[in-house]
């Protein structure tokens, strides 16, 4: 059996071993400071990548809806108007997007025509009372400019949208009196959509290939 003095010695030894010295604390603080300094320059790039993944996923989701929910009504000359589309719009200084099908063939996309965000069950519509936060590009990523290049199709259009038909092919100008002649079909140039934000280290560019509608992040061909 241990004596009382031996127990005291063991207890004191354990207490000494479980405590940090000042040098160890300073070392830990220095290491954490170095890690924080290394991580800071990556914050902007990560935010840009998050935006890229979000927007690219929504473009592909729109194409998926077009492939699985055929909106072709060939008995109408303006059948392109009802194609599933992703439309970017600006309210004041804030940019957002909606994913919807223009089922009533009127230019405005109503909330009842909007898709549901599969990640949270909320509407992907910029005018919804409680829209999916993923569509709020300015509030979430600081995006303040969106530019479309090379994707007017055969019919020039300034509307910032991309629509897809039942074969997944890309269309533009579907909100401006489309006619039954495939004039909205993008088959002459690839479409590039550029997103600018003051917090990005460089602009984000997503390209949609002509004819096929394949979309990817420029600079990341395997995205």
């Amino acid at each position: 059996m241990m004596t009382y003095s031996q127990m005291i010695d063991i207890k004191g030894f354990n207490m000494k071993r479980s405590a940090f010295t000042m040098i160890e604390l300073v070392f830990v603080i220095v290491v954490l400071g170095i890690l924080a300094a290394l991580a800071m320059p990556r914050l902007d790039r990560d935010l840009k990548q998050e935006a890229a993944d979000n927007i690219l996923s929504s473009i592909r989701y729109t194409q998926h809806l077009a492939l699985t929910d055929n909106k072709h009504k060939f008995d109408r000359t303006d059948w392109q108007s009802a194609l599933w589309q992703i439309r970017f719009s600006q309210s004041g200084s804030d940019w957002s997007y909606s994913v919807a099908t223009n089922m009533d063939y009127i230019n405005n996309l109503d909330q009842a025509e909007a898709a549901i965000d599969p990640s949270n069950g909320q509407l992907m519509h910029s005018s919804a009372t409680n829209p999916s936060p993923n569509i709020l590009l300015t509030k979430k990523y600081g995006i303040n400019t969106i530019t479309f290049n090379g994707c007017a199709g055969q019919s020039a259009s300034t509307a910032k949208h991309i629509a897809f038909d039942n074969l997944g092919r890309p269309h533009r100008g579907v909100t401006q009196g489309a006619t039954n002649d495939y004039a909205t079909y993008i088959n002459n140039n690839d479409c590039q959509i550029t997103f600018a934000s003051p917090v990005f280290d460089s602009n984000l560019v997503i390209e949609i290939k002509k004819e096929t509608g394949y979309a990817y992040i420029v600079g990341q061909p395997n995205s």
Side-chain angles (χ1 to χ4, degrees):
M1 180 180 294
M2 292 187 294
T3 65
Y4 178 77
S5 60
Q6 289 173 326
M7 293 175 64
I8 294 297
D9 289 341
I10 293 175
K11 184 178 180 182
F13 175 78
N14 289 336
M15 290 178 64
K16 290 179 182 178
R17 296 295 297 174
S18 62
F20 285 100
T21 66
M22 183 61 71
I23 294 178
E24 289 173 327
L25 288 173
V26 171
F27 179 76
V28 170
I29 292 173
V30 170
V31 170
L32 290 176
I34 293 174
L35 292 176
L38 292 174
M40 286 296 289
R42 296 179 56 86
L43 293 180
D44 289 348
R45 183 171 58 194
D46 291 344
L47 189 62
K48 176 183 173 182
Q49 186 64 50
E50 183 182 343
D53 292 340
N54 173 7
I55 298 168
L56 179 62
S57 176
S58 292
I59 291 173
R60 289 176 173 171
Y61 181 48
T62 306
Q63 187 179 41
H64 167 76
L65 290 172
L67 288 167
T68 58
D69 185 21
N70 186 4
K71 293 300 179 181
H72 276 67
K73 304 284 186 183
F74 289 112
D75 57 331
R76 294 182 61 107
T77 58
D78 59 347
W79 57 266
Q80 297 101 322
S81 298
L83 297 181
W84 278 101
Q85 63 176 277
I86 179 169
R87 186 189 298 187
F88 300 91
S89 58
Q90 188 177 22
S91 177
S93 59
D94 289 349
W95 282 95
S96 60
Y97 64 84
S98 300
V99 176
T101 170
N102 194 7
M103 293 183 294
D104 58 8
Y105 294 88
I106 300 174
N107 283 348
N108 293 328
L109 295 177
D110 302 326
Q111 293 185 39
E113 301 171 320
I116 300 296
D117 191 330
S119 68
N120 54 36
Q122 294 172 278
L123 282 177
M124 302 181 76
H125 194 285
S126 57
S127 298
T129 303
N130 187 29
S132 169
N134 292 325
I135 73 171
L136 306 178
L137 298 179
T138 301
K139 292 181 178 179
K140 194 167 185 178
Y141 308 112
I143 290 174
N144 57 11
T145 305
I146 300 177
T147 307
F148 277 61
N149 294 300
C151 44
Q154 296 175 359
S155 175
S157 172
T158 58
K160 290 179 168 55
H161 69 268
I162 289 289
F164 296 94
D165 62 23
N166 63 321
L167 298 178
R169 297 174 298 189
H171 289 254
R172 282 267 285 158
V174 300
T175 62
Q176 298 185 351
T179 56
N180 195 20
D181 59 2
Y182 281 89
T184 59
Y185 177 39
I186 300 176
N187 63 352
N188 50 4
N189 293 296
D190 297 329
C191 178
Q192 286 195 342
I193 311 175
T194 301
F195 303 85
S197 169
V199 300
F200 293 169
D201 54 1
S202 60
N203 288 342
L204 162 64
V205 182
I206 293 179
E207 182 164 293
I208 301 173
K209 303 298 289 184
K210 63 182 180 180
E211 299 181 348
T212 66
Y214 173 72
Y216 68 95
I217 303 166
V218 172
Q220 302 176 32
N222 296 322
S223 58

